[in-house]
Every structure is written in C-alpha cells, then in structure tokens.
Amino acid sequence: MNFHDKSFLRDHCRSIMAFYDKRIVDKSGGYFQNFLDDGQVFAPNVRHLVSSTRIVVNYAVASDMLARPDYKAIAKHGLDYIEQVHWQSDSECYAWTLDNHLPIDMTQQAYGYAFVLLAYANCIKHRIIDTKEQLYRVFELLEVRFWQKEHGLYADEITVDGALSNYRGQNANMHLCEALIAAYEATEDNVFLERALLVAENITQRQANLSDGLVWEHYTQDFEIDWQYNKDDPKNLYRPWGFQPGHQTEWSKLLLILNRYQPKQWLVDKAAQLFEYAYQTAWDQQCGGLVYGFDVDGVWCDDDKYFWVQAESFAAAALLYQQTGQAKFLDSYQALWQYSWQHLIDHKHGAWFRVVTRDNRAYSNEKSSAGAKCDYHTLGACFEVLRAL
C-alpha cells in the first residue's frame, strides 16, 4: 500500500473523523471525550481541557483539509464550551478538568494554555471566528503567568493556591512552540514566530546539550537536568521518566515547520539528528513499532507502543524526506505506517487504538479518554504530511 499518497491520507482522515462525527457532540455543552473501541460512550460527564481544545483543532483543520464546512459548527461548539465553561471568569483561569460542567481541578498548566492558544489559532486560520482578541489574551496570560525571560522558556504549573511550582519541563514548551507557530500562521505577527524559534532553540540546542544532544523531559527550577523526577513512574501520562522517542521526533517535525518560515541549516540538521537517534534506538526489530521510552544508556524503560509516538514519527519522517530527499526517511515513514496499519488502526470501528503491549496486545477496550487521546496526533500527523505533499 502507498501510504505516501494524498488520496490514501485523506481517506484515512475521513475514516478517523467518521468514528467521532456521530457521537462527539454533547448538546448540553462541549464534547463527549471517553469512548470504548466500538464507540460506546463511558464517563460521559468527565471533560479535560486538553481534549476539549484538541477536538476543536481536529474539527477546525478538517473543515478545510477534508472540505467539510459543516465541521466548522462543531469546532465552534467546542470553542464556546472552552470560553463559557472551562474558562472561569471570576478567577480568569481555565479549569483543567470538569465533571458535569463543574470544575474539579483548577491547577493552571502551561500545557493546557498551549492547546487553548492552538485552538484559537486554528479557529482563526480556518475562519471559524473573525477576531484575534482571545488569542492575544491567552498569549498575554502566558506572558504573565508562565514566561521566564531569564531562561527563555515557560514554567509549567501554578497550584490551586496560586504558587508557581518548582517543576520545569520540556513538554509544555514543545506544545507551546507548536501553538506559537499556529498563532503566527493565523496572524502573521512575527512576535509569535520569534518566540517559537527561541523556545525551539533553547530546548533542542541549549537544554539538549545538557543531555548528550537529546531532549530530556524534566528540569529543576533553574532548568538544570533533573535525572530523578518520576524515575519510578516511566508510564506517567504527561511526565514520564526517560528519553521519549516520540518527543524527539515531534521536535524534529516542529523544527522542520519552523524551517519553512525562517530557513536555518541548524533546524534541518537537528531535526535529522533527533529523528535518527530516536528511530535507531527505539525501533523494535522483533515486534515492530517504536517503544515509548529509553534511559540514558539507550536501554528501553517502557516498551509499550503508543499511537501518538508512531504518528508524530511518520510526520517527521515525511518532512525529513521532503527536505533532504534521502530515501532512508521514506523507508522509515513506510515502516511506521505499515506497523500502525497492522496493529494500531481499528479497521472495524475506525480511529486508532491508544496503546498496546510490546507484542501488540490490547490493554483494554478504551479507545479514547479525556486528556489521553482524541486522535489529535494521528489526524495532525496526516494533515502535516498532506501539507508537505
């Protein structure tokens, strides 16, 4: 099968969207976010800011990429929920989680703000809203609450009682880089592009130089390496221990997107280096696919296979192939797709499975869950390859 074909990619995106189309909208507000493999909804009242925003992005982008103008109303439905329910006007903060439309966790996460910014940017880009005011408001909140000028990076978390946590991480910065690129595309305001480039350089060059050229996940308050953080929890959903192959390749993708707008040789070189090391270290020759994490010696510390790791990696491989013309990247792209097609895509009900064991056995029958999966990575990866093609 030719996975590097525009018709195939569009058809695959349509099959993913079809899984969600008939069951995603909650008429009482927002989206249902928890689905079993067959599409049955569970925990219908539970909402997470990450899923609420990512689903808006899915529908906003698909409205144009798949020529489905009806998707714009679904995206606006979700954006309204973010503005009216996640956003708490009295405290001017976003609820991290909700139950029955009421806030449960009011911890403020830069990671969550990144996806709010991304949602607004895509709603502007795809003509779902016609004002940029909210996007700039979110950017200003990030400036005041999380930006650390002395480090050129964002802090991570403000506790419920208003204290800035000592934890610093790369993951929020990576997704803020992604959101800043989208904000630049939506507004053509260079402030967003320059900030995205600064964050990218500081994480993938300065910070990576502290860990032999790869991107480590966790840092101290002063952005020094924290080798011990979550060492006993390599499967943590947002802050796993170890080098994350999927984050090396996701950065590879982002560096190549930045290179479109401000070409720099270091962006291409670093993108190739991060991808090649991650792929060579994490590819499972016996069972296929990329494992989830490896330690400082390159020894796997989590050999599960996650959907998003394969998706972000095939997007990076496609962009590297486009940029360099080197066949090895196309070979990697094909191998990642072949593995995913065989083990991670649900050909019966649609969409992707979230995670399987090393030898490709299911852990559960939960396909998507609040905060963990809504096929944002898989759709986004396909859309990025389509842009490249």
Side-chain angles (χ1 to χ4, degrees):
M1 183 176 293
N2 182 8
F3 298 111
H4 202 239
D5 174 78
K6 289 187 284 187
S7 295
F8 163 78
L9 289 164
R10 288 196 186 95
D11 286 345
H12 183 62
C13 289
R14 291 186 186 102
S15 74
I16 294 173
M17 297 299 293
F19 176 83
Y20 294 98
D21 286 349
K22 57 196 171 196
R23 52 180 65 99
I24 196 78
V25 172
D26 179 355
K27 292 182 180 178
S28 73
Y31 304 123
F32 295 114
Q33 298 179 3
N34 299 290
F35 302 103
L36 301 181
D37 287 342
D38 63 2
Q40 180 181 336
V41 176
F42 69 96
N45 297 324
V46 175
R47 306 292 155 85
H48 196 294
L49 181 62
V50 171
S51 289
S52 291
T53 47
R54 286 176 168 181
I55 297 167
V56 170
V57 174
N58 288 353
Y59 277 91
V61 179
S63 70
D64 285 337
M65 294 294 286
L66 302 181
R68 286 289 301 268
D70 56 312
Y71 282 171
K72 295 184 189 298
I74 299 177
K76 184 62 164 59
H77 175 82
L79 189 66
D80 289 344
Y81 190 77
I82 294 164
E83 293 182 335
Q84 297 165 14
V85 185
H86 276 287
W87 175 252
Q88 305 290 301
S89 58
D90 55 343
S91 60
E92 296 192 323
C93 293
Y94 290 98
W96 183 240
T97 58
L98 300 160
D99 190 355
N100 202 26
H101 312 311
L102 296 174
I104 299 299
D105 184 351
M106 286 301 299
T107 305
Q108 298 301 286
Q109 303 274 3
Y111 186 89
Y113 281 61
F115 287 106
V116 176
L117 188 67
L118 187 69
Y120 276 120
N122 278 286
C123 283
I124 294 166
K125 280 199 294 180
H126 297 285
R127 303 172 308 284
I128 290 155
I129 57 175
D130 57 10
T131 176
K132 301 171 185 174
E133 180 182 350
Q134 299 98 324
L135 181 146
Y136 280 96
R137 183 195 69 191
V138 176
F139 180 67
E140 184 57 32
L141 289 174
L142 280 159
E143 292 291 282
V144 172
R145 295 174 180 174
F146 297 102
W147 178 244
Q148 301 206 295
K149 186 176 181 180
E150 67 274 26
H151 299 294
L153 292 169
Y154 291 90
D156 267 73
E157 179 181 303
I158 300 171
T159 63
V160 174
D161 58 7
L164 186 66
S165 164
N166 290 334
Y167 174 81
R168 302 290 181 268
Q170 80 80 25
N171 198 11
N173 281 283
M174 181 184 70
H175 282 293
L176 279 159
C177 180
E178 173 191 28
L180 289 161
I181 294 170
Y184 169 71
E185 294 169 340
T187 65
E188 298 184 344
D189 186 338
N190 276 313
V191 71
F192 297 120
L193 181 60
E194 293 305 317
R195 177 61 61 80
L197 280 161
L198 178 62
V199 170
E201 184 169 9
N202 285 342
I203 289 289
T204 66
Q205 298 279 60
R206 186 190 72 203
Q207 296 302 121
N209 286 342
L210 302 175
S211 44
D212 293 329
L214 293 181
V215 175
W216 187 252
E217 295 294 312
H218 312 299
Y219 302 94
T220 67
Q221 187 175 2
D222 296 320
F223 278 97
E224 297 297 323
I225 293 276
D226 187 342
W227 296 110
Q228 300 304 312
Y229 187 88
N230 274 351
K231 192 169 184 179
D232 60 348
D233 190 13
K235 295 180 185 290
N236 186 280
L237 182 60
Y238 293 119
R239 299 178 182 178
W241 185 83
F243 288 109
Q244 298 294 295
H247 285 160
Q248 315 304 316
T249 61
E250 198 165 355
W251 267 117
S252 179
K253 178 193 76 173
L254 292 172
L255 294 176
L256 293 168
I257 295 171
L258 284 168
N259 190 63
R260 291 178 196 158
Y261 299 116
Q262 200 167 116
K264 298 174 185 288
Q265 189 58 43
W266 78 263
L267 291 167
V268 179
D269 293 344
K270 191 66 184 182
Q273 181 243 329
L274 289 173
F275 178 89
E276 290 188 273
Y277 191 98
Y279 190 88
Q280 291 165 9
T281 306
W283 181 259
D284 186 342
Q285 295 286 353
Q286 181 179 343
C287 302
L290 294 173
V291 301
Y292 193 54
F294 55 83
D295 68 14
V296 294
D297 297 316
V299 177
W300 299 347
C301 55
D302 186 345
D303 60 11
D304 286 344
K305 311 293 173 59
Y306 280 78
F307 82 106
W308 70 265
V309 176
Q310 322 309 318
E312 292 295 341
S313 299
F314 75 62
L319 268 60
L320 279 164
Y321 175 64
Q322 180 203 38
Q323 179 66 37
T324 68
Q326 295 182 42
K328 63 182 178 181
F329 295 120
L330 184 58
D331 292 342
S332 297
Y333 174 89
Q334 290 289 125
L336 285 159
W337 256 114
Q338 188 61 54
Y339 168 77
S340 301
W341 191 254
Q342 185 174 352
H343 297 293
L344 284 174
I345 294 166
D346 185 344
H347 296 285
K348 181 177 181 181
H349 299 293
W352 288 48
F353 303 116
R354 188 175 81 89
V355 57
V356 295
T357 63
R358 182 193 172 191
D359 58 354
N360 305 307
R361 290 175 290 109
Y363 275 107
S364 77
N365 65 340
E366 293 182 10
K367 178 167 286 171
S368 294
S369 57
K373 177 182 176 286
C374 61
D375 276 279
Y376 146 85
H377 284 284
T378 47
L379 286 163
C382 290
F383 290 147
E384 199 53 56
V385 178
L386 279 166
R387 292 187 189 100
L389 290 173

